[in-house]
Amino acid sequence: MSEGEQRSGADGAGDDRSGDLTELAKRRGFFLQSAGAYGGVSGFYTFGPNGAALKDNVEDSWRDRFTVREGNMEIDAPTVMPEPVFEASGHLDGFDDMLVECPECGESHRADHVVEDNTDYEEAEGLGPERVGEIIAEYELVCPTCGTGLAGQAIEDFNLMFETTIGPGSSSPGYLRPETAQGIFVEFPQLKEYARNQLPFGVTQIGRAYRNEISPRKSLLRVREFTQAELELFVDPERDEGPDLESVEDVVAPFYGIDQQEADDGDPLEITVGEAHERGLVADPWIAYYLGVAAEWYDSIGVDMDRFRFRQHLSGERAHYAADCWDAEGEVDGDWIELAGFAYRSDYDLSKHDEYSDDDFTVFRQYDEPVTVERPTVDPDMSYLGPEFGGAAGDVADALADLAESDPDAFREAEADADGEGTVTVEVDGERHDVPVSQTGFAVEEVTESGEHFLPHVVEPSLGIDRALYTVLDHCYREDEVDGEERTFLELPAEVAPTTVGVFPLMDRDGLGERAREVAADLRERGLSVTYDDSGAIGRRYRRQDEVGTPFCVTVDYATIGEARDDDEGEPGTVTVRERDTTAQRRIPIEDLADTLEALRDGDLTFADL
Ligand code: GAP
């Protein structure tokens, strides 16, 4: 054996370890505040080599679960979009946070956070600026930076979007997208063609989103540039057959509904997804389905399910577009952090883009049987409208067509009036025009229609990757003792760990280094993520890998090269494999190494079975 390790009691959950974690994250290359050489900027982080690998693995795992296994399409849209997109989406007018500025030091703070952090009010955002201002005064709340009283300070709306200009000059404003979702919605007219107009279909995207947060805080948890993984599922609200709820109905999770939150002693209900839906707690079957899928996924990437819950949005808290919304929340340092939102967005987004753009965001729904309907039409006499209305004649003709569709009785009543000499009235650019009905060419045709156009509804699971990463690191952080020495390790699932295997020569001499490098190269060839380390004592090398969550280490020693001095050192041609969590070690033949490690990584084999 290369090392005999004795381990005692791992400590995981609950403590405030944000300092330890941030220190480990920087030292071991997970993440660090960016541009530190220039003093750093709040809310921007660089992922180091281990953080970038962990992030890639978490994103791949999300892609596998939410795109590949669900049969959805993935797209990749630009992060800068022109202003009309956000006029239509409502972000330009409504994507605001409440800002309060300190009269003494000038520091800006989120007014609702000042309230939440210093009173028993939760979710103060839903209370509105006026009430938040009153609470600040009632409780005599002070500036978190300098302690000056904030009572009486104006609470202002601050739009969170980063503005830019597209091209030189300022004639074409653009914005960094505040959510990846809009990149999917604006392409719907084309996406529905890719889906052959068959509903339901889902479109996913993993990408950066930007919010000019008033006070970024808690490391990766509230930043100004972050990664979202979003799925927009488009459904026909009348004909939707719903999801395969059975596949997740037995998943158990804590559900913290509105009633439980409003009850004095209300705790989340620990029930199955199936029960949550049957009881009407999670009314929409698709939302229930994605809550089940997400609970399994968060568990698989290392979130501690004892520090996880689903919480329903209170009515004042829901976004402008959401008919119902649940959050996935993880407990970090005693606070519940929103990891993801699951919203029923109805047809809000598609109706807005349909209204504001020139494109068609509807889908055609075939009737079971063709139906015969009356269709009012007009065929105005332009030789009358031209001289009568001049340059407005074309618009008057269009307005007549709209009126015939929306109010055909106006024409019928005009025909009945004054022996057919009555008039209909249309408005063009605020001016009313009376047109004799006899000049409109009004008629009602009978047509047979095979279907109708409608706007699909949207169900959206929207996950934040950065918050997931921080939560996973926090929940997987462990301290124990090995051989009488304190050890820190990350109990990351092998599927997402930045590196799967550390390969070490017992010593870098007598050909052990060369053999270990060959082993590392062979394992890389097999697609395993491998790190090679020959510096320092073997125990130190184990600790380095433990700290970055490498689940397995392989040591090449004299037995491996057939030069063991006695049988205790192992059979010729074998290596030692060591498991991170238990520090247990096994010897296995080198020819079985790659298969064994692959099976361990993929969960097809446990270390205890070796
Ligand atoms: N398309 C819906 C949407 O964007 P959201 O609740 O505003 O919904 C979704 O954002 C997720 O994005 C959140 O649950 C969170 O994980 C992440 N997120 C939002 N703002 C963030 C920020 N400033 N820093 C880190 N993650 C953030």
Side-chain angles (χ1 to χ4, degrees), residues 509-528:
R509 64 170 193 239
D510 304 329
L512 294 178
E514 285 76 4
R515 186 70 188 105
R517 275 189 281 273
E518 279 168 19
V519 170
D522 289 349
L523 295 177
R524 286 193 188 111
E525 191 95 336
R526 285 285 296 263
L528 286 151

Short mmCIF file of all heavy atoms in Angstrom, two decimals, residues 509-528:
data_model
loop_
_atom_site.label_atom_id
_atom_site.label_comp_id
_atom_site.label_asym_id
_atom_site.label_seq_id
_atom_site.Cartn_x
_atom_site.Cartn_y
_atom_site.Cartn_z
N ARG A 509 11.11 8.21 -9.46
CA ARG A 509 12.41 7.62 -9.79
C ARG A 509 12.21 6.14 -10.11
O ARG A 509 11.10 5.62 -9.97
CB ARG A 509 13.40 7.82 -8.64
CG ARG A 509 13.05 7.14 -7.36
CD ARG A 509 14.25 7.23 -6.39
NE ARG A 509 14.02 6.32 -5.30
CZ ARG A 509 13.94 6.68 -4.02
NH1 ARG A 509 14.12 7.93 -3.67
NH2 ARG A 509 13.74 5.78 -3.09
N ASP A 510 13.27 5.47 -10.54
CA ASP A 510 13.26 4.03 -10.86
C ASP A 510 12.20 3.70 -11.91
O ASP A 510 11.62 2.61 -11.90
CB ASP A 510 13.01 3.18 -9.61
CG ASP A 510 14.01 3.47 -8.51
OD1 ASP A 510 15.17 3.82 -8.85
OD2 ASP A 510 13.64 3.37 -7.33
N GLY A 511 11.88 4.64 -12.77
CA GLY A 511 10.91 4.37 -13.85
C GLY A 511 9.46 4.51 -13.41
O GLY A 511 8.54 4.34 -14.23
N LEU A 512 9.20 4.83 -12.12
CA LEU A 512 7.81 4.94 -11.66
C LEU A 512 7.13 6.15 -12.32
O LEU A 512 5.95 6.08 -12.69
CB LEU A 512 7.76 5.09 -10.13
CG LEU A 512 8.21 3.88 -9.31
CD1 LEU A 512 8.15 4.18 -7.82
CD2 LEU A 512 7.35 2.66 -9.63
N GLY A 513 7.87 7.28 -12.44
CA GLY A 513 7.31 8.48 -13.05
C GLY A 513 6.88 8.21 -14.48
O GLY A 513 5.76 8.57 -14.89
N GLU A 514 7.77 7.55 -15.26
CA GLU A 514 7.45 7.27 -16.68
C GLU A 514 6.19 6.40 -16.78
O GLU A 514 5.29 6.65 -17.58
CB GLU A 514 8.61 6.53 -17.38
CG GLU A 514 9.81 7.38 -17.73
CD GLU A 514 10.68 7.70 -16.51
OE1 GLU A 514 10.38 7.18 -15.41
OE2 GLU A 514 11.65 8.48 -16.64
N ARG A 515 6.15 5.34 -15.90
CA ARG A 515 4.99 4.42 -15.96
C ARG A 515 3.69 5.17 -15.59
O ARG A 515 2.66 4.97 -16.22
CB ARG A 515 5.23 3.25 -14.99
CG ARG A 515 4.19 2.17 -15.09
CD ARG A 515 4.30 1.39 -16.42
NE ARG A 515 3.19 0.47 -16.60
CZ ARG A 515 2.17 0.68 -17.43
NH1 ARG A 515 2.15 1.76 -18.19
NH2 ARG A 515 1.20 -0.20 -17.53
N ALA A 516 3.79 6.03 -14.55
CA ALA A 516 2.59 6.76 -14.11
C ALA A 516 2.12 7.71 -15.22
O ALA A 516 0.92 7.87 -15.44
CB ALA A 516 2.87 7.53 -12.82
N ARG A 517 3.09 8.34 -15.92
CA ARG A 517 2.70 9.24 -17.02
C ARG A 517 2.00 8.45 -18.14
O ARG A 517 1.04 8.92 -18.73
CB ARG A 517 3.91 10.02 -17.55
CG ARG A 517 4.17 11.30 -16.72
CD ARG A 517 5.21 12.17 -17.38
NE ARG A 517 6.56 11.66 -17.13
CZ ARG A 517 7.29 11.97 -16.05
NH1 ARG A 517 6.82 12.82 -15.15
NH2 ARG A 517 8.48 11.45 -15.87
N GLU A 518 2.50 7.23 -18.38
CA GLU A 518 1.84 6.39 -19.41
C GLU A 518 0.41 6.04 -18.98
O GLU A 518 -0.53 6.09 -19.78
CB GLU A 518 2.60 5.06 -19.57
CG GLU A 518 3.82 5.13 -20.46
CD GLU A 518 4.67 3.85 -20.32
OE1 GLU A 518 4.17 2.79 -19.85
OE2 GLU A 518 5.85 3.96 -20.67
N VAL A 519 0.27 5.71 -17.68
CA VAL A 519 -1.07 5.36 -17.17
C VAL A 519 -2.02 6.56 -17.34
O VAL A 519 -3.14 6.43 -17.82
CB VAL A 519 -0.99 4.95 -15.67
CG1 VAL A 519 -2.38 4.82 -15.06
CG2 VAL A 519 -0.23 3.63 -15.52
N ALA A 520 -1.51 7.75 -16.98
CA ALA A 520 -2.34 8.96 -17.11
C ALA A 520 -2.75 9.17 -18.56
O ALA A 520 -3.92 9.46 -18.87
CB ALA A 520 -1.59 10.17 -16.57
N ALA A 521 -1.78 8.99 -19.48
CA ALA A 521 -2.08 9.21 -20.90
C ALA A 521 -3.12 8.21 -21.38
O ALA A 521 -4.05 8.56 -22.12
CB ALA A 521 -0.80 9.11 -21.73
N ASP A 522 -2.99 6.94 -20.95
CA ASP A 522 -3.96 5.91 -21.37
C ASP A 522 -5.36 6.25 -20.88
O ASP A 522 -6.35 6.08 -21.60
CB ASP A 522 -3.57 4.53 -20.81
CG ASP A 522 -2.33 3.99 -21.52
OD1 ASP A 522 -1.93 4.56 -22.56
OD2 ASP A 522 -1.74 3.00 -21.01
N LEU A 523 -5.44 6.72 -19.63
CA LEU A 523 -6.77 7.05 -19.07
C LEU A 523 -7.37 8.25 -19.80
O LEU A 523 -8.58 8.28 -20.07
CB LEU A 523 -6.67 7.33 -17.57
CG LEU A 523 -6.25 6.14 -16.70
CD1 LEU A 523 -6.11 6.56 -15.23
CD2 LEU A 523 -7.26 4.98 -16.81
N ARG A 524 -6.53 9.22 -20.15
CA ARG A 524 -7.05 10.38 -20.91
C ARG A 524 -7.56 9.93 -22.27
O ARG A 524 -8.59 10.40 -22.75
CB ARG A 524 -5.94 11.43 -21.11
CG ARG A 524 -5.63 12.18 -19.83
CD ARG A 524 -4.77 13.42 -20.10
NE ARG A 524 -4.35 13.98 -18.83
CZ ARG A 524 -3.10 13.98 -18.38
NH1 ARG A 524 -2.12 13.47 -19.10
NH2 ARG A 524 -2.81 14.50 -17.20
N GLU A 525 -6.80 8.99 -22.87
CA GLU A 525 -7.22 8.45 -24.17
C GLU A 525 -8.62 7.85 -24.09
O GLU A 525 -9.39 7.91 -25.04
CB GLU A 525 -6.21 7.36 -24.56
CG GLU A 525 -6.33 6.87 -25.95
CD GLU A 525 -5.36 7.63 -26.88
OE1 GLU A 525 -4.96 8.76 -26.58
OE2 GLU A 525 -5.00 7.04 -27.86
N ARG A 526 -8.95 7.30 -22.93
CA ARG A 526 -10.27 6.70 -22.74
C ARG A 526 -11.34 7.73 -22.41
O ARG A 526 -12.48 7.41 -22.10
CB ARG A 526 -10.22 5.67 -21.60
CG ARG A 526 -9.53 4.39 -21.98
CD ARG A 526 -10.41 3.51 -22.87
NE ARG A 526 -11.61 3.08 -22.17
CZ ARG A 526 -11.73 1.91 -21.58
NH1 ARG A 526 -10.75 1.05 -21.61
NH2 ARG A 526 -12.86 1.59 -20.96
N GLY A 527 -10.96 9.00 -22.40
CA GLY A 527 -11.96 10.06 -22.16
C GLY A 527 -12.14 10.43 -20.70
O GLY A 527 -13.06 11.17 -20.36
N LEU A 528 -11.26 9.89 -19.82
CA LEU A 528 -11.37 10.28 -18.41
C LEU A 528 -10.62 11.58 -18.18
O LEU A 528 -9.62 11.86 -18.85
CB LEU A 528 -10.78 9.18 -17.52
CG LEU A 528 -11.66 7.93 -17.42
CD1 LEU A 528 -10.81 6.69 -17.17
CD2 LEU A 528 -12.69 8.10 -16.31
#
